[in-house]
Amino acid sequence: MAAWSDLTFDVLEHITGFLPLPDHYRFGAVCKNWRLISKQRRHPPAPQLPWLVLEDDKKTRTRKFYSLSEAKHYSLDIPELHGRYICGSSHGWLFAIDLKITGILINPFTRECYELPPFPPWDEYPNVTSLIENGYTFEELQTRYVYKAILSHDPKEKSDFTAMIMFGVMNEPAFWRPGDSSWTVIDGLDCSMDDILYYKGNFYLIAACNLLCVVDFECKPKLVEVGIEIPIRISVEVGIQRFLVDFNGHMLLIERSGHSVENYKVITDGFVVIEPKLEQNCYDTWYDIDGYALFLGRNACIHIDSCRLPKCKKNGIYFTHPIESQSPNEFGFHDLGVFDMITNKIMGTFYSVEKVFPQVDSPVWITPNPW
């Protein structure tokens, strides 16, 4: 029998098409021939569950990740992320902010990077200034300044992509495109924004006052109301949070409800899923998601076909908590879990918190996009 190292290149290339990302690197460590094949990267990694981006280890200067498929931690040396807070994930890229409240857009697995211009100034927001006066550190404030950030497209596939953030005390929208010297703030409403979605060529936002809006980029960019009634509670109520999701061509609006506990923390009780039908000016309520699973948080929502990944909960909503608690040692980690849409119950958590380092970063989902 021929040795494994003597397998032909075409056979080895075929094998790599069945390997998830960690196994690609293990494959390349076997021998010289296998390493050459792994570097060619002719097949994308096999489908896998999203990873969690966790805290920055100040001692080793590495970033901690958690692979849900393997239930295993990885510490990756990504110098560009050291000392930065993760405020968004989209198409396998991360938005990260430093102590000067400047940011980068980076693919953590290729280290391709875009320097972002400074975010809109602090002094326009007196509530934020009062937080500084009340003793908050810049490290604590950066966890509150940019609430969420997403991309219109994968920068590796389309160079003229658009980045959109929700920032400040009102989660105001602003956008940036490669080549811009600054962020452009979008004229909005007199209420805060809950979430943002790129859907069929447009950016949509759901406002806390129960209005669905689309961004109009003509002339001076502004928000335009979409005339549809939202049949769920306004998010200014305690424990209410909403997400916008592009699910296989359907726009979904998801409401998370919860209850308050000590230290101003909120624990999730359940979810309601509706589909706003923009053309018909009506909506449908969804009671399952066709066997898929959703991954919600500060990331652009990820949906996974659980039939392809047996460890994935069918009709499950995996959630992290992007709302800050008063304690930086458990920021976002007090409320992680899986909601079963069929039984309408929380099925428990998917991650056992290890409080080794101060949890300044709330956990963020990412789908590795290495090549």
Side-chain angles (χ1 to χ4, degrees), residues 118-134:
F119 294 109
W122 286 86
D123 55 7
E124 294 182 9
Y125 306 98
N127 289 342
V128 174
T129 303
S130 68
L131 290 175
I132 298 176
E133 294 172 349
N134 288 332

Side-chain angles (χ1 to χ4, degrees), residues 64-135:
K64 194 173 181 181
F65 292 77
Y66 180 74
S67 167
L68 191 59
S69 295
E70 300 175 285
K72 182 177 180 179
H73 288 98
Y74 290 95
S75 292
L76 304 183
D77 184 13
I78 309 172
E80 296 88 347
L81 288 182
H82 180 64
R84 294 183 184 265
Y85 164 72
I86 307 302
C87 63
S89 165
S90 187
H91 294 283
W93 293 67
L94 297 175
F95 290 82
I97 307 175
D98 63 15
L99 292 179
K100 296 180 181 179
I101 320 300
T102 59
I104 60 171
L105 173 65
I106 184 171
N107 185 321
F109 299 97
T110 66
R111 291 180 58 187
E112 296 172 83
C113 187
Y114 291 82
E115 293 286 341
L116 300 174
F119 294 109
W122 286 86
D123 55 7
E124 294 182 9
Y125 306 98
N127 289 342
V128 174
T129 303
S130 68
L131 290 175
I132 298 176
E133 294 172 349
N134 288 332

Side-chain angles (χ1 to χ4, degrees), residues 335-366:
D335 188 28
L336 308 175
V338 185
F339 175 74
D340 187 333
M341 290 185 65
I342 303 302
T343 64
N344 205 36
K345 293 180 179 179
I346 304 292
M347 304 304 294
T349 189
F350 51 81
Y351 181 71
S352 178
V353 179
E354 298 178 357
K355 293 185 180 179
V356 180
F357 310 106
Q359 308 288 358
V360 175
D361 287 37
S362 60
V364 176
W365 293 113
I366 186 174

Side-chain angles (χ1 to χ4, degrees), residues 166 170-173 189 191-195 205-208 223:
M166 294 162 53
M170 298 292 285
N171 289 344
E172 295 183 67
L189 309 175
C191 62
S192 63
M193 299 292 114
D194 281 351
D195 201 15
L205 292 98
I206 179 67
L223 292 182

Side-chain angles (χ1 to χ4, degrees), residues 248-285:
N248 293 333
H250 297 271
M251 179 190 289
L252 300 183
L253 174 57
I254 301 178
E255 175 195 86
R256 168 164 52 186
S257 60
H259 65 278
S260 297
V261 293
E262 73 282 354
N263 295 327
Y264 301 96
K265 294 183 292 187
V266 176
I267 302 299
T268 299
D269 295 323
F271 291 83
V272 173
V273 180
I274 67 169
E275 179 186 4
K277 293 183 175 293
L278 305 183
E279 295 181 357
Q280 296 92 335
N281 193 25
C282 62
Y283 68 91
D284 287 336
T285 301

Side-chain angles (χ1 to χ4, degrees), residues 191-213:
C191 62
S192 63
M193 299 292 114
D194 281 351
D195 201 15
I196 189 168
L197 171 69
Y198 187 74
Y199 176 73
K200 295 186 176 180
N202 292 297
F203 283 98
Y204 290 86
L205 292 98
I206 179 67
C209 54
N210 257 18
L211 293 176
L212 183 64
C213 304

